[in-house]
Amino acid sequence: METGRPVENSELDYLEKEKWVLPGSAGAHNWQAMSVDVDAGLVYIPTQESPLIFSIADEWKQFGSYRRDPGRWNIGLEMGRLAQLFIDNVAEQPTPGGALKAFDPLTGETKWSVRNPYYWNGGVLASAGGLVFQGDAAGQLSAYDKENGELLWQFNTYTSILAPPVTFEFNNRQYLSVLTGGGGADLFGGETDTASTKYGNFGRLLTFALGGKEELPPASVVDKIIPEQTRIAVESAVLGEGEGLYNNYCAMCHGLLARSGGSIPDLRLLPAERHEIFDRIVLEGILAANGMAAFNDVLKKAQVEKIQHYVKARAWEDRQVVLGIKESAQLTWLSDKQSR
Ligand code: HEC
């Protein structure tokens, strides 16, 4: 308090050796909307517990400097070797999760807390009627008693929810609406068991009223069968380079280990005809209008080819496991010295 400087925790110094940090770079509660209840003096916060393995960028270790690279996620951490770092330390990984917390900002106390099965959940709405609403990554829209967090109502939307619900009155009737669909900054973590990964990512506006009877059509589990891969034999070092580039430029959206978090295409599932135009998609940006920007300002054709080899290799490995040919998939091709 005297100096205003943060107190450093030397146990979490990741300069020499990588460390799990919780919360990771996605923070603990600063994305989805929280809700304020002035009468109760509480805020209802969608908190997230999302650990990340922190290792200072190899470039810093080697040269004592860190160059900001436009067109990718620059957080000073080693991204190229992330899959390797993750695998090496998976046994100590803190369990990810989330919780809706009724928090008193004046005392710092948590009045009640409800666990969510995943960490990346929806924003919160507290109503004057004493209810707290939240949608979650498992696809449930829930209403809780604001006094104690008791679950009072739940509706399965079969897709992950990110947006906060809103309430409004029309012709003397109160309604509750929510936009469904996952996304945001959760893509990086890769494949999980969330509703959007399981059933698909549906952008829907759902509106509820007391006595409402409509139901959603039953959802079916998405077909995620990895197509047969035509793999050209390439050296492990090339795959390692592709992996480093993928982790630096693509994993942020398409997911670590080329396993997608559900809202952006899983590149392991790319059909052959899409693979044929891979470089046009990535370099020219022919899908830019849909959010897949051109990377020709930061990547060269030869680099994109290496990324494509890596994606095919990951797809091939995971497919072998599904077919029962291999017991476990190869996840990384990086040698110790390689970084990007
Ligand atoms: C900022 C997020 C983002 C990043 C980073 C990103 N992509 Fe994409 N990518 C998308 C989106 C969104 C789509 C879906 C576009 C569409 O629906 O047509 C997509 C689609 C694709 C497709 C076509 C998928 C299909 O099913 O047809 C390929 C191939 C692809 N990306 C490769 C890459 C590669 C390689 C990189 C890294 C160099 C990369 N992307 C980085 C967002 C991203």
Side-chain angles (χ1 to χ4, degrees), residues 86-261:
F86 182 86
I87 293 159
D88 291 348
N89 295 280
V90 73
E92 292 91 48
Q93 184 193 13
T95 314
L100 170 62
K101 290 188 181 174
F103 180 78
D104 185 331
L106 295 183
T107 63
E109 275 163 25
T110 299
K111 191 175 172 196
W112 53 259
S113 170
V114 179
R115 294 297 301 175
N116 306 115
Y118 305 100
Y119 68 87
W120 191 251
N121 300 293
V124 183
L125 168 77
S127 77
L131 300 173
V132 180
F133 293 92
Q134 187 194 24
D136 65 20
Q140 298 288 354
L141 177 63
S142 308
Y144 303 95
D145 184 334
K146 83 163 190 182
E147 288 301 324
N148 50 24
E150 190 192 333
L151 179 67
L152 300 175
W153 172 82
Q154 205 162 48
F155 183 90
N156 194 347
T157 72
Y158 295 105
T159 202
S160 304
I161 304 174
L162 203 57
V166 294
T167 184
F168 58 95
E169 195 186 289
F170 181 69
N171 282 349
N172 295 322
R173 201 163 182 211
Q174 188 179 7
Y175 294 91
L176 178 94
S177 287
V178 70
L179 277 170
T180 66
D186 170 42
L187 314 165
F188 183 68
E191 192 165 46
T192 52
D193 216 13
T194 62
S196 284
T197 327
K198 229 187 289 178
Y199 305 111
N201 197 32
F202 307 117
R204 284 193 179 116
L205 174 62
L206 299 179
T207 297
F208 301 85
L210 281 178
K213 298 216 164 38
E214 292 292 324
E215 281 176 20
L216 283 173
S220 45
V221 174
V222 183
D223 175 4
K224 280 193 291 191
I225 297 172
I226 300 172
E228 208 174 319
Q229 302 292 312
T230 45
R231 260 185 82 186
I232 311 161
V234 281
E235 282 174 32
S236 172
V238 173
L239 295 177
E241 273 180 65
E243 175 181 341
L245 290 163
Y246 177 89
N247 286 345
N248 272 307
Y249 292 98
C250 322
M252 179 64 192
C253 290
H254 289 281
L256 199 60
L257 303 174
R259 292 172 177 164
S260 155

Side-chain angles (χ1 to χ4, degrees), residues 249-250 253-254 265 267 270 274 278 282 287 290-292 295 299:
Y249 292 98
C250 322
C253 290
H254 289 281
L267 298 182
L270 270 189
R274 283 267 151 156
F278 195 92
V282 181
L287 301 177
N290 302 333
M292 173 59 204
F295 280 78
L299 291 173

